[in-house]
Amino acid sequence: MMKVLVLLMLVCSVYANEIKTLSDQQPCLQDVHAALREITASLAETKLEVKYLQAYNKEQAAKLDKQEDQLQEQAAKLEDQQTEAETLKKQMQEQAANQQTEVDELKKQLQGKQVAFSASLLASGSQTIGPFNQHIPLVYKHVVTNIGNAYSPITGAFTAPLRGAYHFEWHLYGHGGYNGAVLVKNSEKIFTAYEHQSGGSSASQGVSLVLEAGDVVSVLLWSNATVYDTTDHYNTFSGHMLFTM
């Protein structure tokens, strides 16, 4: 608009110089005033537009700030949810581990309850064992039952797989004389089965013991004692778990 005003003034100036009369300058001044009024109106309109744009921009900026606050709030909620999800996941993993431990323990207990064995001295033939000048382990080689494989027909020893209560029985038979055997827990002598007669003799004994896992139970033939066995299986050693502890 300023360019238009300057141009009009230049035109009027040139026109005034050419005609050199005052009367001819009056229309030009009127045109200048009209142009000024137009410029003023245009400036006023421009100011209104600027105010409107400023108000609009301020409103949009407020909306953007509000949206940013909402996004930050949602991000915080999402972070809290992720933290909660991780906590729940950790708790579930711990619960699963505890449940697996309980399942393993129950399996272990179930396996422990399935411990039982029964065996006799000879698998075939007949034999008199003893006498010896010291206690010797009796190895019961003819295994009838060995649930849990806790009894060894090689060593004649039973090894407790779990802590619990166990019951054992051992039966002896001999042609006469001194027949005796003692049940031993590790190196501790528990109970003895004993008989001394001139003819055939037999003796029996039983005991319930609390054993720790790894405890060893076996039957020892007393020194100077004898036992006699055949395929009729007179001499036996048996045991089973009563319950875990």
Side-chain angles (χ1 to χ4, degrees):
M1 298 303 292
M2 294 298 297
K3 291 181 179 180
V4 174
L5 177 62
V6 173
L7 181 61
L8 288 173
M9 294 180 67
L10 289 175
V11 171
C12 292
S13 177
V14 173
Y15 182 72
N17 290 331
E18 289 179 353
I19 61 177
K20 305 294 184 181
T21 61
L22 182 60
S23 60
D24 293 335
Q25 293 178 0
Q26 189 65 28
C28 183
L29 291 175
Q30 293 177 352
D31 292 338
V32 169
H33 288 303
L36 288 173
R37 286 193 296 271
E38 183 179 353
I39 292 171
T40 302
S42 178
L43 287 174
E45 183 179 355
T46 301
K47 288 182 179 180
L48 290 175
E49 291 179 353
V50 169
K51 289 182 178 180
Y52 173 77
L53 290 174
Q54 288 176 342
Y56 177 78
N57 289 336
K58 186 176 181 181
E59 181 181 356
Q60 295 299 316
K63 289 182 178 179
L64 288 175
D65 291 339
K66 185 176 180 180
Q67 291 177 351
E68 184 177 357
D69 293 339
Q70 291 176 347
L71 288 174
Q72 290 178 350
E73 183 179 355
Q74 291 177 355
K77 288 182 178 179
L78 180 60
E79 185 176 356
D80 292 340
Q81 291 174 353
Q82 290 177 342
T83 302
E84 185 178 357
E86 290 177 356
T87 301
L88 290 174
K89 181 180 179 181
K90 185 177 180 180
Q91 291 177 351
M92 292 178 65
Q93 289 175 343
E94 291 177 353
Q95 291 177 356
N98 292 334
Q99 290 176 353
Q100 185 62 45
T101 301
E102 292 177 359
V103 169
D104 293 341
E105 183 64 25
L106 288 174
K107 287 181 178 179
K108 193 175 181 182
Q109 291 179 2
L110 181 60
Q111 291 174 353
K113 291 180 179 179
Q114 296 176 343
V115 174
F117 75 97
S118 187
S120 66
L121 279 176
L122 300 181
S124 62
S126 61
Q127 182 181 358
T128 296
I129 301 174
F132 302 96
N133 58 5
Q134 61 182 0
H135 296 349
I136 67 164
L138 289 174
V139 180
Y140 297 83
K141 298 180 180 179
H142 179 63
V143 178
V144 177
T145 304
N146 194 12
I147 300 172
N149 294 316
Y151 172 75
S152 170
I154 298 176
T155 63
F158 171 86
T159 303
L162 295 170
R163 185 177 189 272
Y166 297 80
H167 182 74
F168 300 94
E169 293 182 359
W170 61 108
H171 303 275
L172 307 178
Y173 175 78
H175 280 314
Y178 177 31
N179 309 121
V182 59
L183 184 131
V184 178
K185 169 188 171 184
N186 298 326
S187 59
E188 178 186 1
K189 297 175 182 178
I190 305 299
F191 287 168
T192 298
Y194 170 80
E195 185 65 42
H196 187 190
Q197 294 183 6
S198 58
S201 61
S202 63
S204 299
Q205 188 62 281
V207 64
S208 294
L209 298 175
V210 174
L211 302 179
E212 300 293 335
D215 282 347
V216 177
V217 176
S218 59
V219 176
L220 302 183
L221 179 66
W222 275 96
S223 61
N224 301 316
T226 63
V227 291
Y228 173 76
D229 202 15
T230 69
T231 54
D232 291 327
H233 311 299
Y234 301 119
N235 293 270
T236 61
F237 179 33
S238 301
H240 62 277
M241 170 175 271
L242 299 174
F243 51 86
T244 58
M245 299 178 64

